[in-house]
Amino acid sequence: MKKGLTVHYILFIAGLALSAVAAYMITTDPDENLNSKLIVVFAGAFVGISQFMIIKHKRKLK
């Protein structure tokens, strides 16, 4: 695996982990900072999905 592709895998996993933790925090305490947690969930999911699309595209180019 090339160095550039490894960075995308790390960002993909980090984005999904970030949104999973924020979603867990929403379920444990939904009243406190709900808007901030929702923004983190959507941002983490967006980063994860976009990195997955980049990985898929780079593998297709090989």
Side-chain angles (χ1 to χ4, degrees):
M1 200 170 1
K2 294 183 178 180
K3 183 179 180 183
L5 198 57
T6 305
V7 171
H8 289 294
Y9 273 111
I10 291 170
L11 290 173
F12 168 65
I13 293 169
L16 293 182
L18 178 70
S19 63
V21 168
Y24 173 74
M25 291 177 68
I26 288 173
T27 60
T28 58
D29 189 15
D31 295 333
E32 186 178 326
N33 297 329
L34 182 62
N35 290 339
S36 299
K37 293 175 187 175
L38 286 175
I39 290 171
V40 171
V41 168
F42 288 124
F46 178 74
V47 168
I49 291 170
S50 64
Q51 293 303 313
F52 177 73
M53 298 298 283
I54 290 171
I55 291 167
K56 189 175 171 183
H57 179 70
K58 284 191 174 189
R59 281 190 164 190
K60 193 180 211 182
L61 293 177
K62 283 186 180 181

